[in-house]
Amino acid sequence: MTPPESRPARRSLLAVGAATAATAFGIAPRAAAARPSTVLTWYDATAETIAVAGATTQVTNSRTWAIAWLAAARATRDVPAGVHRATHQEAALAAAVHHVLVSLVPSRAEQLDTTLRQTLASLPPGRARDLGVAAGRRRAGHVLAHRQGDGLDPASVNAPYPVPAPAPGVWQPTPPSFAPAAQYGNRLARPFLLRSPSQLRPGPPPALDSRRYAADLAEVRAYGAVDSTVRSPHQTETADFWYGSSLTLYTEPLRVALFRSRHTTAELARDVAVFHVALVDTQVATSDSKYAHERWRPVTAIRTGSIDPDPDWTPLHTTPAHPDHPSGHNTYSGAAEVVLAAFFGARTAPFDLTSPTAPGVTRTYTAWRQLSDENVEARVLSGIHTRSADEAGIELGARVARFALEHQRELFARGPV
């Protein structure tokens, strides 16, 4: 597939966002570093908790990450005079993340209690540790209370959506199950930093009589069909690799960045908090745009549209039950790329990544942008998004992430945010 002219522009957008944030907030890696063991222990505990017993909706799980690590970031910022700083911060981080996870995922309390005991046993007993634990629990309680009723629970996320009357370009339930619309309630939820879900809403998708729309549809028809004769084995692998949950697929890249970083404990907690706050707000903004524009999916357009309709056309992968514009995988990827580049630099030493939807496949990356580029291609190759929707997604995610980086100080104000 030939990359469209708009791709260099979107790369520039991401680069500017990362550079601006790094310059404005002094978030380049420092020369001295804290040992990351406590941070990584609780990062892994969060990931395992959500993988084993998390919610059925991705944004709800992103919310759990955001609340837990926002509490940890707040708890590690202020250390009382006269106590050992590192001990206090590590105890505070562990207690904050533990308290949130047990509150939101109580079925994992036994495992989390054990991890907390092990963490505290590894720290010197005394006033610094005790005050750290108290600070972590206090901050966790504050953030949990403030985020209560924010509309990001599974029931609210999947609020009923009245399907519009069939019309050219308008979303309709898609085969094979023709399931009800999902994630409509995201656009009704309360963001962490965005002023409203619609604040950064992108413009409409290409008009149905435009050359861009015709090109988008032709590309998906050829490369995204289940029986495509032009899609290469490597392209099929790309589609399979990125078909799974974005939250799952970006857990390891963020962990790699944390492990390699020379940030302090407090900075690492902030990194995780801002990453997931930005991603919650991105998912809220994504659903707002999807349901504001109500653009039909490629399978509907190809089967019933006016351009050479093919009622038997079937995509490689099953189409998710929500509108096309923009691609949620790509909004997630665009936001993740901007935050990772801002905190850790645009490039990284090689790291390997696997995917639960492509068993046995390992891919190696050296820049966060590579993940975004593959996401753009993957959703076209899967037959479930147009390239326009993918590129609009990258741009929206980048804009939300830049806003989060520019306003991150609000997360750490003394009052609740």
Side-chain angles (χ1 to χ4, degrees):
M1 292 180 287
T2 302
E5 294 179 358
S6 58
R7 185 170 301 174
R10 85 103 182 146
R11 287 180 175 173
S12 175
L13 174 73
L14 296 171
V16 169
T20 300
T23 301
F25 300 108
I27 50 183
R30 294 185 176 181
R35 64 183 181 91
S37 57
T38 298
V39 173
L40 292 179
T41 292
W42 285 96
Y43 186 90
D44 292 344
T46 309
E48 181 181 359
T49 295
I50 288 172
V52 172
T56 55
T57 49
Q58 177 172 283
V59 72
T60 309
N61 291 325
S62 294
R63 173 186 184 268
T64 298
W65 274 99
I67 291 175
W69 286 83
L70 178 54
R74 289 179 176 179
T76 56
R77 287 176 72 84
D78 298 320
V79 179
V83 303
H84 189 265
R85 186 175 189 83
T87 299
H88 182 277
Q89 288 180 322
E90 294 189 39
L93 185 147
V97 177
H98 170 270
H99 187 86
V100 171
L101 293 181
V102 169
S103 298
L104 297 179
V105 194
S107 63
R108 295 289 293 173
E110 182 178 353
Q111 294 86 351
L112 293 164
D113 289 350
T114 298
T115 303
L116 181 62
R117 285 194 298 270
Q118 292 170 344
T119 298
L120 297 181
S122 72
L123 300 175
R127 185 166 176 263
R129 189 180 71 179
D130 295 344
L131 289 177
V133 169
R137 290 173 177 164
R138 183 172 62 253
R139 289 294 193 176
H142 290 165
V143 182
L144 282 166
H146 179 65
R147 294 304 303 181
Q148 187 173 5
D150 59 10
L152 291 169
D153 58 283
S156 298
V157 166
N158 288 316
Y161 167 73
V163 177
V170 177
W171 182 84
Q172 296 292 300
T174 51
S177 63
F178 298 93
Q183 300 177 28
Y184 171 72
N186 277 9
R187 73 183 303 218
L188 310 176
R190 173 160 53 95
F192 277 80
L193 284 173
L194 288 179
R195 304 325 187 208
S196 73
S198 62
Q199 177 185 342
L200 300 176
R201 182 187 296 168
L208 299 184
D209 60 354
S210 67
R211 294 178 63 183
R212 180 61 193 268
Y213 174 77
D216 279 345
L217 210 60
E219 182 182 37
V220 178
R221 185 193 299 264
Y223 285 92
V226 67
D227 56 355
S228 172
T229 59
V230 296
R231 187 180 59 243
S232 70
H234 181 76
Q235 289 174 320
T236 300
E237 180 187 284
T238 297
D240 291 342
F241 194 92
W242 290 102
Y243 187 56
S245 158
S246 293
L247 177 65
T248 300
L249 286 164
Y250 272 89
T251 296
E252 182 62 18
L254 178 56
R255 190 188 192 282
V256 167
L258 297 171
F259 178 76
R260 294 174 175 177
S261 173
R262 297 182 64 80
H263 288 182
T264 65
T265 296
E267 289 168 334
L268 291 170
R270 174 212 58 193
D271 298 342
V272 181
V274 173
F275 182 93
H276 284 286
V277 163
L279 267 302
V280 170
D281 282 9
T282 293
Q283 291 171 79
V284 170
T286 298
S287 288
D288 170 78
S289 179
K290 281 180 177 289
Y291 287 100
H293 295 304
E294 296 183 320
R295 173 52 62 94
W296 61 7
R297 287 281 187 157
V299 64
T300 308
I302 293 171
R303 288 188 177 191
T304 67
S306 62
I307 303 176
D308 191 19
D310 180 357
D312 296 321
W313 188 88
T314 301
L316 173 64
H317 291 137
T318 300
T319 302
H322 40 74
D324 183 60
H325 186 85
S327 160
H329 266 58
N330 281 284
T331 58
Y332 196 107
S333 189
E337 180 186 338
V338 165
V339 176
L340 287 166
F343 286 145
F344 307 108
R347 300 191 62 83
T348 181
F351 71 93
D352 291 340
L353 187 62
T354 60
S355 167
T357 53
V361 176
T362 299
R363 292 194 161 188
T364 302
Y365 301 92
T366 57
W368 312 121
R369 189 178 70 195
Q370 293 168 340
L371 282 69
S372 297
D373 289 344
E374 287 192 7
N375 261 292
V376 170
E377 302 300 319
R379 307 309 269 180
V380 174
L381 296 167
S382 288
I384 58 180
H385 273 302
T386 61
R387 185 173 293 276
S388 291
D390 292 342
E391 293 179 346
I394 291 285
E395 184 170 340
L396 174 59
R399 292 177 67 194
V400 174
R402 291 204 322 274
F403 184 87
L405 289 165
E406 291 164 1
H407 293 269
Q408 62 176 292
R409 287 194 181 95
E410 297 174 24
L411 295 172
F412 309 114
R414 292 197 177 274
V417 174

